[in-house]
Amino acid sequence: MRREWMTIIEHQEIARQTYRLVLKGEMVGDVSEPGQFVHIQVSKEYYLRRPVSISNIDMENKTMTLLYKVMGKGTDAMTEKKVAEKVDVLGPGGQGFPIDKINTKKALLVGGGIGVPPLYYLAKQLEKKGVQVTSILGFQSAEQAFLTDEFEALGDVYVTTNDGTLGHQGLVTDLFPYVKGSFDTYFTCGPTVMLKAVTSELTGVPGYISMEERMGCGIGACFACVVPSNDEKGYRRICCDGPVFDAKEVVLS
Amino acid sequence: MRREWMTIIEHQEIARQTYRLVLKGEMVGDVSEPGQFVHIQVSKEYYLRRPVSISNIDMENKTMTLLYKVMGKGTDAMTEKKVAEKVDVLGPGGQGFPIDKINTKKALLVGGGIGVPPLYYLAKQLEKKGVQVTSILGFQSAEQAFLTDEFEALGDVYVTTNDGTLGHQGLVTDLFPYVKGSFDTYFTCGPTVMLKAVTSELTGVPGYISMEERMGCGIGACFACVVPSNDEKGYRRICCDGPVFDAKEVVLS
Amino acid sequence: MNLHQTLPGLHLKNPIMPASGCFGFGKEFAQFYNLSDLGAVIMKAATGEKRFGNGTPRVAETSSGMLNAIGLQNPGVDSIIKNEVPFLQEYDMPIMANVAGSTVEEYVQVAEKISHHVNALELNISCPNVKEGGVQFGTDPLLAEEVTRKVVEASVVPVYVKLSPNVTDIVSMAKAVQAGGAHGLTMINTLTGMRIDPATRKPIISNHTGGLSGAAIKPIAIRMIYQVYREIDLPIIGMGGIETAEDVIEFLLAGASAVAIGSANFKNPIICKEIIDELPVTLKKFGFQSLKGAIGGAHHETSRAGVFRA
Amino acid sequence: MNLHQTLPGLHLKNPIMPASGCFGFGKEFAQFYNLSDLGAVIMKAATGEKRFGNGTPRVAETSSGMLNAIGLQNPGVDSIIKNEVPFLQEYDMPIMANVAGSTVEEYVQVAEKISHHVNALELNISCPNVKEGGVQFGTDPLLAEEVTRKVVEASVVPVYVKLSPNVTDIVSMAKAVQAGGAHGLTMINTLTGMRIDPATRKPIISNHTGGLSGAAIKPIAIRMIYQVYREIDLPIIGMGGIETAEDVIEFLLAGASAVAIGSANFKNPIICKEIIDELPVTLKKFGFQSLKGAIGGAHHETSRAGVFRA
Ligand SMILES: Cc1cc2nc3c(=O)[nH]c(=O)nc-3n(C[C@H](O)[C@H](O)[C@H](O)COP(=O)(O)OP(=O)(O)OC[C@H]3O[C@@H](n4cnc5c(N)ncnc54)[C@H](O)[C@@H]3O)c2cc1C
Ligand SMILES: Cc1cc2nc3c(=O)[nH]c(=O)nc-3n(C[C@H](O)[C@H](O)[C@H](O)COP(=O)(O)OP(=O)(O)OC[C@H]3O[C@@H](n4cnc5c(N)ncnc54)[C@H](O)[C@@H]3O)c2cc1C
Ligand SMILES: Cc1cc2nc3c(=O)[nH]c(=O)nc-3n(C[C@H](O)[C@H](O)[C@H](O)COP(=O)(O)O)c2cc1C
Ligand SMILES: Cc1cc2nc3c(=O)[nH]c(=O)nc-3n(C[C@H](O)[C@H](O)[C@H](O)COP(=O)(O)O)c2cc1C
Ligand code: FES
Ligand code: FES
């Protein structure tokens, strides 16, 4: 992990209140797995860093793509950063989806809202390994949807929206009947309520979930970001033991 | 007085760690006297505003010129502002040199360091009124000197530096013998120790001094910026009763 | 949205007022907006005689805040009644007088005189910047109760006691002044702090210590108001670091019935007016039907509805 | 410049160390720089048994600071001795153990065990984030004196007591722990604060209140160290909002003999190392000939020379 002032190569709104930020720097070479994140200092005005998942990597050009949604003051201030400015980034952090350690032939990816970005780099890496990828992407509405075309290029894609303005109206789990049999492992990222729904419907299937929690250090030292675990140790730190966990490892609350 | 986001028209270093900042806005029309100041919010990172004297006014183009020296964190951060950016300015504040209320034919201006800027607009206004202007400008060294040419254009100028790299080596008061008889009123701005030296050497001559103190509100409400006065009231507020005072009005400590 | 709020002695058209010492006696701010737009005005502290206050520098900047040690400079209660109150009375909003002193007798004397000219008193037992009196009344429950009782007796209008945050147990201080007969609380005053200049090697503030205010102290104010609201049934006027309408809602949720804005007036002299204008919009944005629906809301975790108080 | 400093139990090559709870047990930071560069390390709190700590969220952002309510999560003293201390012992710097507990007995038990493996103890009687124990020892002088005395008796290394700023009178707390036999003081721990989210209408931190740290509290830390240095002859390790070498000098001038850096490690994991590198340059810039020349300098207004302590 390193702290680096990375250069903004691209920065634009790609959906309502959702931005693509492309950063260039040496840190890109350190990224080992899809699902890792970076910890961004927006400005001196915001005391804590903001964790954002890595959505794509271009090793050759040393760039990483982040997709973020404006959720509060820090992400709102981030939108004002301009191309060529530098940003204080700490990363890459945490354990991603362990695609090199597991044996999957057919993967189901389930993403909700701003949980979709890390699944994109995952989908790309899986496809590269010859894994068949099926994705279910859930958004609030059509104007908040993004990356659907990019996922299409990598496999079957099912889209749901809360209001029905794109794809199926309803929840990502509504579509599980349609994808039955098309996967041996699932990978999911999104709001905790979605993670709970997904894991409880897919018990029995090996699965990996990416979690969120408010962070202090982002490197494993402060114990701000813990989640209870199903073992004697009793906890995992999301920033360094996660954010990706085996679905059976942690207790969702 | 108003609060306005003024636009930076020009911003450059004119002497060592000393910058000229030209701001455009409606506030310019409110300036009534030389010696008034503006109160600048450098950024959200700095809680208090910074008082800076108005060094020149261009009523036609609605611009005001400020000259400031980097003295700490706020003025240092100010140097990073770029042309076309906007700055949060409160002003114009305070009472300036009361040139319309007094009768002077020959004026002596004594400025020390970053006390020189407000005297420039004063010199211009005096000259316009047909007053003969003699100036003594003191700096630490040649590389920290500024505005000397501009003062030359308005009358006799004597320069002193602490290290003798420009003009006379020594203090502004060293030059008083040379200007004897060439003034009926004096106007001075600079560090308190200089103000004390000047006023105590020129007792008997009508004089006006411009003072500095740390400010809270900058508009007269908080009583942060008081100076003891020689009357029953017992004090003056520098931000609104001053910064310019009759030399006999206040007690320098 | 109806922002009206009625507290002892105060009919507020909205819950926003400038905090004592940060607004002088209003004149300077009257050039920026119509003071009648304010919920109320809290005047700068009044003492029995005129006071010059502390030496300068009296303020210092800190991260997200400032220190001040003005030292209660004011022209004295008689002069305030004669020269300052009439100006404020021309506007259509209630006036609170901030009452200070070095002895119980002085507090009583000031309260007696000025209470005839204002709508409520704010009893300042929490100024950390004067040698005698002031803060020790605000850190010792017995003294606090006594001075409150005497001032309540002397005053013809309701008395709000301004609590100091420089205490181990804010609830016991609030209980003490309640026992003394306080009609309400204002909280918090500043936290005692210091800055030292590495260049001069001395405290920046001439008085050495000063009171810390501004956004830096907001979490402490919120915590104290939350604690006091749970235990004591008195209306609270909250303050400490308010800069936005969202901040106001945070104070309301913690249990404040109205709020005061202090140092933020120095950053932006129009801040009170701006927040008054934004408050209905921001309340609506967060789903509140009324001002009162927000008050104490953080204490009722299972329901989305706030409780009413005062 | 010689940055060496000797304090009870601690031979510091420089006066900079990470503060307890902000550096874990060092492992995470070892990837950024060589821990041997540090003056010392203060470990995360140890309790008698393993503790899971509070629910999440455990942190919240504030203006120039943060709230935390970790709740002393730790693997328990035995596990720390077995699994964490050996890693730190591989580096060339003294180790302080932060000792916490819910009862005097637990404090004593932890101190007894861990003092055999470290250079000094930091007795944490000031954690505001646990229900039992912790902060009440740090706000009541009699309890503070008692637990200090028992821990000093039980420990084979010097004991520094960590003071809570949530008190009316910091000097009397310092006197109490001095009477209990403390060898030094560390100050300050966090101030109890709260943030409420207008969207959820609840306190952001699951524990409701949390400890406020960061630049926001620096003026309070400086004030308290300044007050304690005048009255009590014990070395002080200062902390609270340090982010730069200039901040360190401010703490030294107030009376700290060394300093600890807490939450700033989260903004910049290399901060301790950077400040160690900058400190000699910054001391020189402000005309100090030595580290010790700065300590307590603000108390000697007429002379430019500091006094030596420890
Ligand atoms: C491992 C991880 C990966 C993430 N990846 C992405 C991503 O790719 N794209 C994206 O848009 N968002 C992502 N998030 C969520 C993102 O971190 C928050 O939306 C963001 O921190 C909100 O900051 P703010 O300043 O807008 O909100 P504020 O409410 O102003 O933030 C205040 C504080 O709360 C923290 N906070 C608020 N919401 C969250 C949250 N959901 N998770 C963690 N901390 C939070 C902030 O970091 C900050 O410290 C991720 C979170 C985690 C933990
Ligand atoms: C009426 C008036 C007019 C001034 N005009 C000019 C000018 O034209 N050009 C110029 O370069 N400087 C001028 N100054 C001084 C200028 O305000 C300070 O140099 C500046 O505020 C320092 O800010 P800083 O952030 O660099 O220092 P910091 O030390 O970081 O400032 C910390 C705090 O102290 C205050 N402060 C520090 N020094 C002074 C000072 N000398 N006077 C008042 N407040 C101070 C700052 O405003 C700030 O609130 C003037 C001051 C006053 C009172
Ligand atoms: C410059 C200044 C002067 C103050 N004077 C007084 C005063 O005279 N009486 C008083 O009760 N409080 C006084 N206060 C405290 C404020 O009224 C308020 O309680 C405190 O500043 C916290 O609010 P804020 O963070 O919004 O400033 C003063 C504060 C400042 C900054
Ligand atoms: C996340 C976090 C955890 C902390 N844990 C402890 C602890 O276990 N024991 C302790 O004595 N202090 C603890 N503290 C307090 C710090 O050691 C320090 O006293 C305080 O944060 C002030 O310093 P700072 O402003 O540099 O952070 C903790 C602080 C933070 C922010
Ligand atoms: S954020 Fe500090 S341990 Fe995870
Ligand atoms: S700065 Fe507030 S009265 Fe002058």
Side-chain angles (χ1 to χ4, degrees), chain C residues 132-147:
Chain C
E132 352 68 43
V135 80
Q136 91 259 24
F137 288 105
T139 54
D140 177 331
L142 292 178
L143 289 178
E145 182 178 338
E146 191 207 337
V147 69

Side-chain angles (χ1 to χ4, degrees), chain A residues 22-245:
Chain A
V22 183
L23 299 174
K24 189 184 179 96
E26 298 304 319
M27 189 183 295
V28 173
D30 302 341
V31 176
S32 58
E33 283 174 337
Q36 291 185 292
F37 72 98
V38 292
H39 215 189
I40 299 187
Q41 188 83 49
V42 179
S43 78
K44 287 193 195 158
E45 223 184 293
Y46 301 95
Y47 198 82
L48 296 174
R49 291 173 178 270
R50 266 57 177 173
V52 184
S53 296
I54 296 167
S55 177
N56 201 5
I57 284 291
D58 178 343
M59 285 288 178
E60 219 166 296
N61 292 307
K62 292 189 178 163
T63 63
M64 64 169 70
T65 302
L66 313 178
L67 302 185
Y68 69 90
K69 184 156 181 184
V70 174
M71 296 298 287
K73 290 179 192 176
T75 45
D76 193 34
M78 189 119 83
T79 63
E80 275 154 44
K81 304 254 174 210
K82 303 212 161 44
V83 168
E85 272 184 59
K86 291 191 184 259
V87 206
D88 176 357
V89 186
L90 183 65
Q95 311 301 321
F97 296 98
I99 52 170
D100 288 338
K101 289 172 210 138
I102 57 177
N103 203 355
T104 168
K105 297 266 174 303
K106 297 189 282 181
L108 174 67
L109 275 49
V110 186
I114 206 62
V116 168
L119 299 181
Y120 178 61
Y121 185 50
L122 171 68
K124 272 184 52 179
Q125 295 292 88
L126 287 172
E127 196 252 11
K128 218 184 193 171
K129 292 181 56 147
V131 177
Q132 176 190 317
V133 175
T134 306
S135 308
I136 304 176
L137 309 178
F139 300 98
Q140 286 187 320
S141 65
E143 58 178 2
Q144 307 205 16
F146 54 88
L147 281 185
T148 50
D149 292 349
E150 286 84 345
F151 275 92
E152 299 268 10
L154 301 167
D156 284 348
V157 178
Y158 299 80
V159 174
T160 70
T161 50
N162 293 357
D163 62 359
T165 46
L166 191 72
H168 169 82
Q169 170 167 12
L171 305 174
V172 287
T173 43
D174 295 350
L175 297 177
F176 283 0
Y178 300 91
V179 297
K180 218 170 168 182
S182 66
F183 60 98
D184 54 40
T185 312
Y186 71 89
F187 303 86
T188 181
C189 184
T192 306
V193 37
M194 187 197 92
L195 298 183
K196 277 180 82 166
V198 170
T199 53
S200 68
E201 294 229 8
L202 299 181
T203 43
V205 185
Y208 294 88
I209 61 176
S210 179
M211 299 189 65
E212 285 189 4
E213 188 48 78
R214 290 188 185 231
M215 294 187 179
C217 65
I219 64 173
C222 76
F223 287 74
C225 64
V226 297
V227 53
S229 68
N230 282 315
D231 58 6
E232 207 214 336
K233 192 177 173 195
Y235 70 91
R236 294 289 184 278
R237 291 162 297 180
I238 287 176
C239 69
C240 60
D241 303 320
V244 175
F245 297 100

